[in-house]
Amino acid sequence: MLRLCIRDCRVNCDKGYGDLSWRVGSFNKITGENVMSDNYMYDQQPPQEEKKGMSIASMVLGIVGLIAWCIPIIGGPVGIVGLILGIVGMKKGGKGMAIAGIIMSVITIILAVINAIAGAALAVSNLM
């Protein structure tokens, strides 16, 4: 009984273990009795923390992609991976960082494609 009192953080434990009226529980309005489980303290789940790893990775890759877009072989794949991680990160949490990562990744992809087209056009014009 002493362990039960300590576990439940109760100061006044003069009633026996069989009488659960001193414990906090939910009251059943139909039957008029206290309804509770032995693990009432553990029945409530703590709030889940957002998983921001994908969102952070997307934002970092978006920043790196904005620097690396001038080399299409590096900028394009970095932008694509950042875009994918941003979309997945939107569903898991950290929406602000995921949106920032998506925007920067899209800009990186667009700039890398423009750079690749310009490079190909310059290469073709030098051949003629």
Side-chain angles (χ1 to χ4, degrees):
M1 182 173 135
L2 181 61
R3 284 186 181 174
L4 180 66
C5 293
I6 293 171
R7 185 190 79 191
D8 294 340
C9 300
R10 295 290 176 186
V11 177
N12 186 6
C13 289
D14 55 326
K15 295 186 178 183
Y17 179 72
D19 182 15
L20 298 178
S21 62
W22 59 273
R23 293 175 69 184
V24 177
S26 60
F27 185 76
N28 189 341
K29 292 180 182 178
I30 298 172
T31 61
E33 59 187 28
N34 284 334
V35 179
M36 66 179 309
S37 66
D38 287 336
N39 294 324
Y40 74 94
M41 290 175 54
Y42 307 105
D43 288 344
Q44 298 177 357
Q45 294 293 327
Q48 296 290 331
E49 293 184 20
E50 291 183 344
K51 297 181 180 178
K52 299 179 183 179
M54 298 278 188
S55 301
I56 293 171
S58 171
M59 191 171 72
V60 168
L61 286 175
I63 293 169
V64 170
L66 287 176
I67 297 168
W69 69 269
C70 24
I71 306 171
I73 294 174
I74 297 173
V78 167
I80 292 170
V81 172
L83 180 65
I84 292 169
L85 290 177
I87 292 170
V88 172
M90 286 281 289
K91 296 176 184 174
K92 292 191 175 188
K95 293 186 193 253
M97 287 185 283
I99 291 170
I102 289 171
I103 291 171
M104 288 186 285
S105 296
V106 168
I107 292 171
T108 298
I109 293 169
I110 291 170
L111 290 175
V113 168
I114 290 171
N115 191 14
I117 292 171
L122 284 175
V124 170
S125 67
N126 285 338
L127 290 177
M128 297 182 148

